[in-house]
Amino acid sequence: MQFRSTLSSEPQIPLIDAVLRCLPSDGGLYVPSQVIDLRQYFLHMDEKTSYKELISTLTPVLLQGALGPEAAARVALGAYDFEPQLQHLDDKLSVLRLYVGPSGTFKDFGVSFLASLLEELIGDQGQGMIISAVRGDSGINLERAFRGRRGLTSVMLYPSGTILGLDPSYYVSQGGNIIPIQIRGTLDDCQRLVTEIIHDRPFAERHGISSANAINPGRLFPQVFYYLYAFTAMRNALLGDLVFSVPSGNFGNLISGLYAWKFGLPVYGFIAAMNGNNSFGDFIRGGKYQPQPLLHTLSPALDVSIPSNYERLSSFYQEAPAVMRNMVFPASVDDQATVKAMEQAWKEYGLILDPHGAVAFGAAREYLKSPENADSHVVVLATGHPAREAALVEKVTGQRVALPEKLQRLKQSSEPLAIIDPQLEALEAAIASCI
Ligand SMILES: *Cc1c(COP(=O)(O)O)cnc(C)c1O
């Protein structure tokens, strides 16, 4: 598999270099330029194939040329102690639960695989430092994926305010490998610093710096596996065209679906399920992209006015405009419809969804209402654990969902190891003083 920058078609670099460097020097983002056709590997799999088998078969193929088959299999097996759960609801609908990991969001699939891959690439010989911008409870994602990984230190930058759920016994000050740093500024400042430190090549190379934010293509390609898994698990029972309904904020999940199609997934299309922040819909339909002011909704992970994967989508669009128009169906589900969808899912299927999953469910129901889509089977991606939004879920469904043991920490705020101004020199000095 080869990667290139969104801003130029040359040079093409191998997957491993793209994952380690994270950002091309021309200011673009890495996107795949050549993908491997995986059909010969997954088309014989079916409902008897476990998720573990699927990823340990496909990972060595994807990492060909970078890691030998045994090392690649270690990456796959060391990535997850959880797996997606597919539930068939009826002939038209299924749900794929992706909130089964340590942070209770689908992002665990990308982050955990990346951590396992980086450990295999760096862990034995060198030292790697993974610098990422986080906010609120999103740090727990990275902490769980990276803590205790050989040779890796995970630095998390978060904006003024609190960060939730980190366990201080994994901080470097306690002999661990986690460094939380509070930036006097906004999430944008944190993200800018991540970019700046990667582009400071002497510093970045000395410390082996990469990032686990979605700028890293190594976050996106592991998400391909659960799309393929959903297909293999239901192919023998599938009636009609396969469609995925994807709750979309920064569009990383949806892009992975498009990559899965490039890898050979026989899919009919993807519903880009947005909440009231839906200005991206016009762009997907082929129009110009005009960002609108941000709305705060019941599904906060979808409250994005300029998706960080805009460049990746737009490069995909330039490569294959017809595909985008014919395969990606934009939908918008406002707060009222989100609540209604949550209620319907519970009443009709006994299914408890968080508001992000409810946006995808509501969009799927709308899609299926249209007679031309009557032959589709929609897989709703449930991306967030309902317990993360327990108050709303209880209000709408009357059901109390307990926070699983492993998510209990989410309620506690964590202390930083340093508090600094949003400047690169301050960050580099803070890192030097922590390690
Ligand atoms: C991040 C997130 C999303 C949005 O995913 P994108 O890849 O940014 O489109 C949806 N649901 C939940 C629960 C999330 O945490």
Side-chain angles (χ1 to χ4, degrees):
M1 207 174 162
Q2 298 280 313
F3 283 77
R4 65 169 177 87
S5 166
T6 43
L7 299 181
S8 67
S9 51
E10 296 291 333
Q12 298 195 27
I13 63 167
L15 182 150
I16 296 310
D17 293 351
V19 166
L20 291 176
R21 275 198 68 125
C22 209
L23 287 172
S25 50
D26 63 9
L29 289 173
Y30 283 121
V31 284
S33 51
Q34 273 175 26
V35 298
I36 303 170
D37 185 344
L38 293 178
R39 276 177 296 187
Q40 58 171 309
Y41 303 98
F42 74 82
L43 281 184
H44 65 273
M45 298 180 183
D46 59 19
E47 70 283 353
K48 292 191 284 297
T49 312
S50 70
Y51 187 67
K52 256 202 165 85
E53 283 172 71
L54 179 137
I55 62 168
S56 40
T57 306
L58 299 183
T59 302
V61 183
L62 287 175
L63 299 181
Q64 248 165 33
L67 288 177
E70 279 175 22
R74 271 199 302 277
V75 170
L77 294 174
Y80 304 123
D81 58 2
F82 51 91
E83 49 186 65
Q85 297 165 357
L86 183 72
Q87 186 187 346
H88 185 85
L89 299 176
D90 62 23
D91 283 353
K92 300 273 165 226
L93 278 171
S94 299
V95 61
L96 185 65
R97 287 192 186 82
L98 298 175
Y99 54 72
V100 289
S103 78
T105 76
F106 83 98
K107 295 184 180 73
D108 290 325
F109 282 94
V111 173
S112 301
F113 190 94
L114 175 63
S116 183
L117 175 59
L118 287 168
E119 181 178 46
E120 187 66 40
L121 290 175
I122 298 173
D124 281 339
Q125 312 89 8
Q127 293 289 321
M129 185 174 287
I130 314 307
I131 304 200
S132 320
V134 300
R135 173 176 57 178
D137 62 9
S138 71
I140 199 167
N141 235 308
L142 298 180
E143 186 217 84
R144 295 304 153 90
F146 282 96
R147 71 189 191 191
R149 296 262 181 203
R150 262 176 305 128
L152 301 180
T153 306
S154 174
V155 180
M156 298 182 213
L157 312 183
Y158 68 96
S160 299
T162 50
I163 186 173
L164 299 169
L166 304 188
D167 183 342
S169 60
Y170 291 95
Y171 288 7
V172 284
S173 51
Q174 305 296 315
N177 64 340
I178 305 291
I179 304 180
I181 297 179
Q182 188 184 126
I183 306 296
R184 293 189 194 95
T186 62
L187 184 67
D188 284 343
D189 290 316
C190 300
Q191 281 166 338
R192 175 179 51 79
L193 284 169
V194 171
T195 304
E196 283 179 11
I197 206 164
I198 293 171
H199 286 311
D200 180 357
R201 291 318 294 169
F203 189 88
E205 273 162 28
R206 183 151 21 102
H207 292 281
I209 283 180
S210 186
S211 173
N213 284 139
I215 50 174
N216 195 325
R219 276 277 300 270
L220 295 181
F221 79 83
Q223 297 177 170
V224 164
F225 296 135
Y226 54 71
Y227 285 97
L228 300 180
Y229 173 74
F231 166 74
T232 59
M234 63 195 297
R235 60 184 300 180
N236 287 328
L238 188 63
L239 300 168
D241 300 322
L242 178 60
V243 173
F244 289 90
S245 183
V246 188
S248 297
N250 277 314
F251 284 78
N253 201 354
L254 189 105
I255 288 196
S256 299
L258 290 169
Y259 292 167
W261 169 75
K262 280 198 166 185
F263 287 142
L265 174 69
V267 61
Y268 181 74
F270 301 89
I271 302 171
M274 290 165 276
N275 61 23
N277 294 291
N278 60 5
S279 47
F280 218 53
D282 290 337
F283 169 73
I284 294 171
R285 288 184 197 95
K288 214 170 135 16
Y289 174 42
Q290 235 131 31
Q292 301 293 321
L294 193 68
L295 290 177
H296 292 281
T297 73
L298 294 174
S299 41
L302 313 185
D303 294 348
V304 175
S305 75
I306 305 180
S308 62
N309 283 301
Y310 169 72
E311 275 183 61
R312 285 195 173 106
L313 270 175
S314 112
S315 111
F316 197 91
Y317 197 88
Q318 280 156 13
E319 272 171 32
V323 173
M324 275 287 262
R325 258 194 306 278
N326 296 330
M327 282 185 77
V328 183
F329 320 120
S332 173
V333 177
D334 66 14
D335 277 353
Q336 206 187 343
T338 303
V339 168
K340 190 152 169 250
M342 210 185 239
E343 196 181 347
Q344 275 179 337
W346 168 245
K347 285 201 176 132
E348 292 172 32
Y349 299 103
L351 176 67
I352 296 186
L353 291 172
D354 94 319
H356 306 88
V359 166
F361 184 86
R365 292 295 287 257
E366 271 307 302
Y367 176 87
L368 288 167
K369 270 189 199 159
S370 160
E372 61 192 282
N373 300 328
D375 285 338
S376 297
H377 184 96
V378 184
V379 179
V380 172
L381 301 193
T383 49
H385 197 296
R388 293 169 54 92
E389 305 279 353
L392 178 67
V393 169
E394 183 171 358
K395 196 169 131 209
V396 176
T397 65
Q399 299 303 301
R400 183 167 291 195
V401 271
L403 208 56
E405 180 91 53
K406 60 186 179 191
L407 295 180
Q408 290 293 342
R409 248 184 198 284
L410 276 177
K411 292 191 208 138
Q412 295 167 24
S413 70
S414 320
E415 294 299 317
L417 285 181
I419 304 179
I420 60 167
D421 287 334
Q423 273 132 21
L424 184 61
E425 306 80 68
L427 175 59
E428 292 179 353
I431 289 173
S433 73
C434 283
I435 53 179

